[in-house]
Amino acid sequence: MEVKIGVQHANRELVLESEQTPEEVQDLVAAALTGKSGLLELTDEKGRKVLIPADRLAYVEIGEVSTRKVGFGAI
């Protein structure tokens, strides 16, 4: 699943591929924003952790990975 994270005062958004479910990501974002942890912690497909202070989050977009089509097939 693809997660896009907008960070305040940053020119680019963070994009990561995660094996977590959309519900798990939503729960982690909600916990970070309600002040329970104060830090959003996500893990990508390769096991790397991304840590973002909750007070710097601008937005989080949770979506499915779009499959890339290869070749010259009819559309």
Side-chain angles (χ1 to χ4, degrees):
M1 170 188 62
E2 183 179 76
V3 180
K4 292 182 183 178
I5 303 168
V7 181
Q8 294 177 7
H9 309 296
N11 294 333
R12 296 178 51 184
E13 61 189 10
L14 299 173
V15 179
L16 64 108
E17 298 291 330
S18 177
E19 293 181 358
Q20 295 168 309
T21 66
E23 292 80 18
E24 289 174 339
V25 173
Q26 184 174 352
D27 290 341
L28 290 170
V29 171
L33 292 175
T34 57
K36 293 180 183 174
S37 65
L39 191 66
L40 176 60
E41 180 180 335
L42 297 174
T43 306
D44 71 358
E45 289 181 337
K46 296 179 181 179
R48 296 177 292 198
K49 291 192 180 215
V50 177
L51 304 170
I52 303 154
D55 62 344
R56 297 292 181 199
L57 287 176
Y59 64 90
V60 178
E61 183 179 316
I62 303 168
E64 294 297 321
V65 176
S66 60
T67 57
R68 297 180 183 172
K69 295 182 180 181
V70 178
F72 296 98
I75 299 178

